[in-house]
């Protein structure tokens, strides 16, 4: 089994990478369909030839990196299983302590470290690519700080979740997936509540919007939509990126309206107000809570499928990988492998749902802020600053785009204008 798994990986992964490369660089073409040439959605009408070339190059390399990384974590878990590292991690943890609340986090730390170290070259290439094409302005030391912070935050959260999960597996081998899901509901809600005030400020500095007139206009839009906010936050992102963003996140008293300073620097007032109207649209249409409900529902389905597959895999091949039972922490790489597979399979559906929500928010924004020129201008500036393709290849759209393409968004605005 091990030899077959290694041989299959060695053969199939390079073929997969070659096919992705051919698809992105040779089998698909950039630009917009004939019907939209010369319109506001055509990049030649608002980008220079150099900007178009850079956007196409950056998008292709970034997409290639994404698709290479898509199955990469699965390959790492396969390596952990094939080389017998899982029993070694377990033995080390048990030598440190016989208590589960200590040796399980140690196992998680060792596994997380292996994944992080092996994945680091791809992450670094992504950072260098973003810097080379003028997206990232972040120094290497600052980037590494964020990477290490994300690692440790992720580890502490994962260690807690996995410790509880394996205690549940030992206590209820047939119902652990259901009990785990019931515990995840308050966990997801709690994380959504604390993220704006505890986690986000660890990465960036948040201050009150320095432009009081703009803040007053944004709050007027918010109050019109019954958003319980009395201030708008500005986050200093220009030290890290030239990309632009704005969002409304959090729930209850921790809800925040946030603007990146790059957005303020690049867009005029009406363009900024349109972007904020879009974000407010998400709140009005309850997309924040729908996202939470979606995560909760998908976690139920994912846990149940994982439960069924985990038992099959461990019963059939567990001994070969040094895994005696599902309840042993040595089965964690298999569990993560299955979750990664499910994540890849579900990615197109999740992106499609997200695009639908973003499309609805665009329509809300243009109704709230009916300045078509500003709306189109904001999308064009987002395209330029993000080195984005207005019309990406189909596979890229299906897997990567949680928003409609810029071509689709601008065409919608133009058609909305012509209908009135």
């Amino acid at each position: 089994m091990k030899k077959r798994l290694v041989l299959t990986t060695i053969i199939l992964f390079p073929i997969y990478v070659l096919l992705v490369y051919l698809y992105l660089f040779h089998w698909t073409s950039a630009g917009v369909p004939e019907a939209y040439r010369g319109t506001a959605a055509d990049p030649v009408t608002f980008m220079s030839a150099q900007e178009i070339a850079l956007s196409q190059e950056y998008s292709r390399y970034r997409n290639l990196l994404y698709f290479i990384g898509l199955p990469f974590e699965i390959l790492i878990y396969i390596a952990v299983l094939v080389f017998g590292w899982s029993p070694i991690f377990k033995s080390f943890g048990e030598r440190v302590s016989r208590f589960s609340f200590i040796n399980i986090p140690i196992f998680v730390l060792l596994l997380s470290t292996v994944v992080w170290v092996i994945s680091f070259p791809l992450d670094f290439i992504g950072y260098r690519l973003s810097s080379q094409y003028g997206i990232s302005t972040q120094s290497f030391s600052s980037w590494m700080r964020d990477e290490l912070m994300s690692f440790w935050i992720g580890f502490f959260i994962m260690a807690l979740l996995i410790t509880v999960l394996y205690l549940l597996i030992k206590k209820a081998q047939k119902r652990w997936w259901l009990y785990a899901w019931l515990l995840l509901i308050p966990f997801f809600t709690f994380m959504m509540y604390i993220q704006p005030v505890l986690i986000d400020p660890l990465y960036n500095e948040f201050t009150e919007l320095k432009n009081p007139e703009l803040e007053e206009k944004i709050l007027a839009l918010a109050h019109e939509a019954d958003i319980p906010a009395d201030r708008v936050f500005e986050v200093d992102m220009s030290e890290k990126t030239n990309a632009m963003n704005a969002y409304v996140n959090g729930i209850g008293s921790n809800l925040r309206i946030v603007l990146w300073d790059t957005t303020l620097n690049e867009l005029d007032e009406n363009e900024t107000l349109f972007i904020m109207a879009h974000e407010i649209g998400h709140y009005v249409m309850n997309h924040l809570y729908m996202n939470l409900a979606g995560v909760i529902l998908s976690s139920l389905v994912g846990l149940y499928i994982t439960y069924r597959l985990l038992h099959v895999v461990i019963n059939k091949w567990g001994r070969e990988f040094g895994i005696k039972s599902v309840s042993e922490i040595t089965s964690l790489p298999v569990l993560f492998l299955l979750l990664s597979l499910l994540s890849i399979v579900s990615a197109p559906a999740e992106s499609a749902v997200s695009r639908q929500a973003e499309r609805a928010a665009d329509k809300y924004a243009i109704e709230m802020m009916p300045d078509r020129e500003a709306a189109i201008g904001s999308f064009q500036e987002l395209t330029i600053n993000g080195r984005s393709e207005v019309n990406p290849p189909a596979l890229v759209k299906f897997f990567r785009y949680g928003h409609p393409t810029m071509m689709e968004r601008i065409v919608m605005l133009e058609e909305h204008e012509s209908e009135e």
Side-chain angles (χ1 to χ4, degrees), residues 150-404:
S150 295
F151 173 84
W152 285 109
I153 291 174
F155 160 69
F156 284 117
I157 293 174
M158 190 59 64
L160 173 62
L161 294 177
I162 296 303
T163 300
V164 173
L165 176 63
Y166 274 84
L167 290 175
L168 288 174
I169 293 176
K170 288 181 179 180
K171 296 291 184 181
Q173 291 201 14
K174 292 185 177 181
R175 292 286 183 270
W176 63 262
W177 59 274
L178 179 60
Y179 301 143
W181 176 71
L182 291 173
L183 290 175
L184 281 176
I185 295 174
F187 172 78
F188 287 144
T189 306
F190 177 69
M191 290 300 297
M192 189 174 179
Y193 182 77
I194 68 168
Q195 180 176 337
V197 294
L198 291 182
I199 297 178
D200 290 349
L202 294 175
Y203 294 90
N204 302 292
E205 181 183 357
F206 288 75
T207 60
E208 189 168 354
L209 187 62
K210 298 180 180 66
N211 185 336
E213 294 180 359
L214 179 59
E215 181 179 43
E216 185 178 345
K217 292 179 180 180
I218 293 173
L219 289 176
L221 294 176
H223 293 157
E224 185 179 340
D226 294 325
I227 294 181
D230 56 5
R231 63 187 299 191
V232 178
F233 290 88
E234 178 180 336
V235 56
D236 182 11
M237 289 297 297
S238 54
E239 293 185 357
K240 295 184 178 182
T241 182
N242 285 319
M244 298 183 290
N245 196 16
Y247 56 87
V248 177
N249 72 342
I251 56 176
S253 60
N254 281 3
L255 185 139
R256 282 189 170 188
I257 301 174
V258 178
L259 270 167
W260 286 11
D261 64 335
T262 49
T263 304
L264 295 166
N265 294 338
E266 297 297 331
L267 300 185
D268 64 30
E269 184 176 277
N270 286 342
E271 291 171 342
T272 302
L273 288 173
F274 173 79
I275 294 297
M276 290 313 306
H278 168 94
E279 300 304 327
I280 288 170
H282 285 306
Y283 179 87
V284 171
M285 290 177 280
N286 295 313
H287 290 164
L288 297 176
Y289 297 100
M290 290 168 63
N291 286 344
L292 178 59
V295 169
I296 291 172
L297 179 60
S298 62
S299 66
L300 173 62
V301 177
L303 281 170
Y304 179 72
I305 294 175
T306 301
Y307 155 74
R308 302 295 295 187
L309 294 177
L310 187 62
H311 281 273
V312 172
V313 173
I314 299 303
N315 290 337
K316 193 168 185 178
W317 298 294
R319 293 286 177 178
E320 195 166 350
F321 297 124
I323 305 169
K324 297 177 182 178
S325 69
V326 170
S327 60
E328 273 198 354
I329 188 61
T330 48
S331 67
L332 184 60
V334 180
L335 187 147
F336 279 168
L337 188 154
L338 294 173
L339 289 174
S340 297
L341 276 172
L342 290 175
S343 176
I344 293 173
V345 170
S346 63
E350 292 175 357
S351 294
V353 172
S354 177
R355 286 196 299 272
Q356 192 63 32
E358 296 295 339
R359 192 173 290 111
D362 282 346
K363 291 180 179 178
Y364 175 90
I366 198 59
E367 293 289 346
M368 177 176 262
M369 292 293 301
D371 185 337
R372 309 306 191 282
E373 185 177 345
I376 291 173
S378 67
F379 285 157
Q380 290 174 338
E381 286 297 326
L382 284 169
T383 302
I384 295 169
N385 279 62
R387 299 272 190 246
S388 303
E389 288 181 293
V390 295
N391 185 32
L395 279 180
V396 174
K397 175 184 173 181
F398 292 148
F399 275 92
R400 299 206 64 194
Y401 273 57
H403 291 70

